């Protein structure tokens, strides 16, 4: 796997507004990359966004980092990811 990549060539640059996209490492920074990649997804863009992530990470890794992130990922995104990978639904925020 290519470790260094300008993530802004794969995902919208504004998702990584507070860091230098050229310096992100796919392995070391996956706890940042995975949640941020899904942060702005919508029902219309989910399929495209998740496929981009799948080019970089396995489903197991994607689920792991979404479950443990402190980023503001919507419950709808979490449920969509769980359905896609046929895992038990998980929520970032409980009511």
């Amino acid at each position: 796997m290519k470790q260094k990549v300008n993530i802004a060539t794969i995902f919208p640059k504004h998702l990584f507004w507070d860091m230098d996209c050229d310096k992100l490492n796919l392995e070391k920074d996956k706890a940042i990359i995975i949640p941020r990649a899904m942060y702005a997804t919508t029902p219309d863009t989910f399929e495209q966004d998740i496929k981009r992530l799948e080019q970089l990470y396995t489903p197991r890794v994607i689920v792991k980092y979404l479950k443990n992130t402190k980023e503001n990922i919507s419950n709808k995104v979490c449920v969509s990811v769980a359905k896609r990978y046929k895992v038990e639904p998980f929520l970032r925020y409980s009511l």
Side-chain angles (χ1 to χ4, degrees), residues 28-45:
K28 292 179 185 173
D29 298 318
K30 59 188 163 194
I32 296 167
I33 295 169
I34 293 170
R36 296 258 183 122
M38 298 308 293
Y39 174 77
T41 198
T42 68
D44 292 334
T45 64

Side-chain angles (χ1 to χ4, degrees), residues 14-62:
H14 69 271
L15 296 175
F16 304 94
W17 62 273
D18 58 340
M19 56 196 68
D20 184 347
C21 295
D22 289 325
K23 294 184 180 176
L24 289 173
N25 179 291
L26 290 176
E27 184 60 30
K28 292 179 185 173
D29 298 318
K30 59 188 163 194
I32 296 167
I33 295 169
I34 293 170
R36 296 258 183 122
M38 298 308 293
Y39 174 77
T41 198
T42 68
D44 292 334
T45 64
F46 175 79
E47 188 71 23
Q48 178 182 356
D49 294 336
I50 198 74
K51 282 182 179 180
R52 288 180 192 162
L53 263 184
E54 290 169 346
Q55 292 175 352
L56 305 172
Y57 303 104
T58 66
R60 184 181 59 76
V61 170
I62 293 169

Side-chain angles (χ1 to χ4, degrees), residues 66-77:
L66 287 177
K67 280 184 175 181
N68 295 305
T69 187
K70 301 278 190 246
E71 295 284 341
N72 189 14
I73 305 299
S74 78
N75 284 339
K76 287 182 181 182
V77 169

